Structure formats: structure tokens, C-alpha cells
Amino acid sequence: MATGRAAKKAEMEAEKVAEKKKMEARKEEEIRIKMIPIRLEIEAWMARDHLPDNMKEQIINFIQHRLEQNKDFDIEKPILHLSKDLTTEIKRHICLPLLKKVVPNLAIQGDQNLLEQICESLKPKYYNEDIYILQVGEPLMMLFFTQGSVCCFKTSNGENRMGMDSDAQYIEKYEIWGEELLEWGFNCSSAHKKLVPISTKIVKTTSKVEAFALTANDLKKLLSMHT
């Protein structure tokens, strides 16, 4: 009798284990299917921004782990859903070379640590087409563009048919707008730093745009840690 009960118990335990394995297999298959379109989009994004292979692997693994935890992932705004460490690596990889191009006349040129901290302070931004990022007189932002393009212009009585002046400037992928913010932060006296620089032009998207932004407040916060 006892032997029969033990055998029955063992059989039930085996059935539970088998059912658990089936559920795990179903979940793995669901994740695999869900990852197919996400992986295609993410691999295209990673290739577009020339991310190194080791970083690509970490990103794919992170996304898969996130899906396994039943968390959503927005392929239109991937950086918003990645870990802080991965986001920091991406910002350094993309923005540090751009930053080094605009600091040759600043005292921070050779300060690799400070340049990396500036990159870490950048915030990801996503804009649709025909959106005004900045208006004349608004606090200036430094923008590192990674996708899309914008037009920077002043309104005047001499506007052309597009409502832009003849000196309109187009900023595209892997270009920077607003580097005057760094000059204000690192070259101005303490008294002048109380006055946040303002935009002297309108900045409007001409397509969908992805960028990283540095605000005056974030720069001031960073500088306060180095004084």
C-alpha cells in the first residue's frame, strides 16, 4: 500500500516537472517569436550607429532578458529602455568623438574624464517631423544629432516662402548644435554663469530626429562637482 502511494506521488511529481518544462518551452518559443522583429529593428539601429560587436551582444541579451520578465520594449526609442550602464556606453561611443571636435579652444580639451562625464549627462531626445525644438529666446540646449535633420533659422521681414531667412542652416546626423553652451560653461566668469544662454535661432525638425541633449542646468550641475 505504502509502495503504491509512493509510486503515485512520484508519478505526480514527474507530471509536474514535465508540465513545467512544457510551460518553459512555450515561453521560450513566445520570446523567440517576439524577438524576431525586435532584433531586426535593433540590429539595424546598432549598425546605423556603428556600435561595436561586444556592445551589440550586450544589448540583445538585455532586451531578451527584459522580454523574459514580461516587460515591454519600444523599438522606436530603444535607449529609453536599456540599462544605465549600456546607455552610458552608447552615449560615450557616439557623442565623445563629436564632443572632441568642438572643444579644441576650451580648457577641457585634454580632460578625458570630464568629457566622458559630459557625455554621461546627455539626455536622449526623440522628435517627430516639423517640430520646434527651440524658439528664439528659449534656454539654449546643446544637441548631438544621431538621426534625421533640423533647420536652424531666424524669422525676419525678409523671410522666403518657407518662412526662413536666407541664412538658414541645416544640421544633420553626427553634427552638433549649440556648442556655445560649452563656451558659456567653461570660458565665462562666475557672474556670467548666472545668466543662462538663450537660443538666437529657431531649431525645427525636417524629419524624424533622434538626438542627445545637454541643458545649461545639467552642465552647471556637472561643473559644480569640479570646482
Side-chain angles (χ1 to χ4, degrees):
M1 189 74 173
T3 303
R5 284 198 298 268
K8 184 65 175 177
K9 184 177 180 181
E11 183 181 347
M12 291 174 65
E13 289 296 329
E15 288 176 354
K16 286 181 181 179
V17 170
E19 184 61 27
K20 184 179 179 181
K21 287 182 178 180
K22 285 181 182 179
M23 290 177 64
E24 289 174 349
R26 281 197 297 268
K27 186 173 182 179
E28 286 178 4
E29 181 63 10
E30 288 173 2
I31 297 298
R32 187 190 69 79
I33 293 172
K34 198 171 183 179
M35 272 293 293
I36 292 173
I38 292 177
R39 186 170 190 134
L40 289 173
E41 291 285 346
I42 293 301
E43 286 184 345
W45 164 67
M46 294 188 297
R48 186 196 75 194
D49 285 331
H50 309 291
L51 300 185
D53 289 341
N54 63 322
M55 196 183 298
K56 290 179 182 178
E57 185 177 353
Q58 291 177 53
I59 290 170
I60 291 296
N61 289 340
F62 180 86
I63 295 171
Q64 183 159 334
H65 180 66
R66 184 179 175 89
L67 294 178
E68 288 170 355
Q69 294 179 316
N70 296 319
K71 294 181 179 179
D72 291 331
F73 190 87
D74 187 352
I75 56 177
E76 295 292 324
K77 301 176 181 178
I79 291 180
L80 298 182
H81 301 285
L82 297 177
S83 67
K84 182 179 179 180
D85 288 344
L86 279 174
T87 301
T88 296
E89 287 185 43
I90 292 169
K91 288 189 287 189
R92 285 179 182 172
H93 176 78
I94 296 174
C95 299
L96 190 56
L98 301 179
L99 185 58
K100 287 181 176 180
K101 290 180 180 180
V102 298
V103 297
N105 297 322
L106 299 176
I108 61 170
Q109 181 182 7
D111 193 334
Q112 179 77 9
N113 182 53
L114 184 52
L115 293 177
E116 289 181 354
Q117 288 183 35
I118 291 174
C119 290
E120 290 175 27
S121 299
L122 300 175
K123 301 293 192 301
K125 298 288 184 180
Y126 295 88
Y127 302 98
N128 289 324
E129 186 176 357
D130 291 329
I131 296 296
Y132 290 93
I133 298 176
L134 284 173
Q135 295 278 6
V136 173
E138 291 183 342
L140 184 65
M141 286 192 298
M142 187 174 179
L143 294 159
F144 297 67
F145 294 101
T146 60
Q147 186 67 10
S149 62
V150 300
C151 185
C152 310
F153 59 96
K154 292 180 179 178
T155 55
S156 67
N157 293 330
E159 291 176 354
N160 60 25
R161 292 180 182 178
M162 295 180 66
M164 304 173 189
D165 60 39
S166 57
D167 294 325
Q169 178 184 4
Y170 288 89
I171 308 293
E172 298 183 338
K173 179 179 178 179
Y174 298 143
E175 293 183 336
I176 290 177
W177 169 260
E179 55 264 36
E180 300 91 341
L181 190 66
L182 289 182
E183 296 173 8
W184 165 81
F186 292 98
N187 288 347
C188 289
S189 64
S190 299
H192 282 92
K193 284 189 177 66
K194 294 179 181 178
L195 299 174
V196 175
I198 61 173
S199 178
T200 59
K201 287 191 175 184
I202 294 169
V203 180
K204 183 181 181 182
T205 63
T206 57
S207 66
K208 278 192 172 183
V209 164
E210 297 176 21
F212 290 102
L214 178 67
T215 66
N217 285 336
D218 286 338
L219 183 56
K220 284 171 68 174
K221 190 182 300 183
L222 179 60
L223 291 174
S224 69
M225 296 187 292
H226 286 266
T227 55

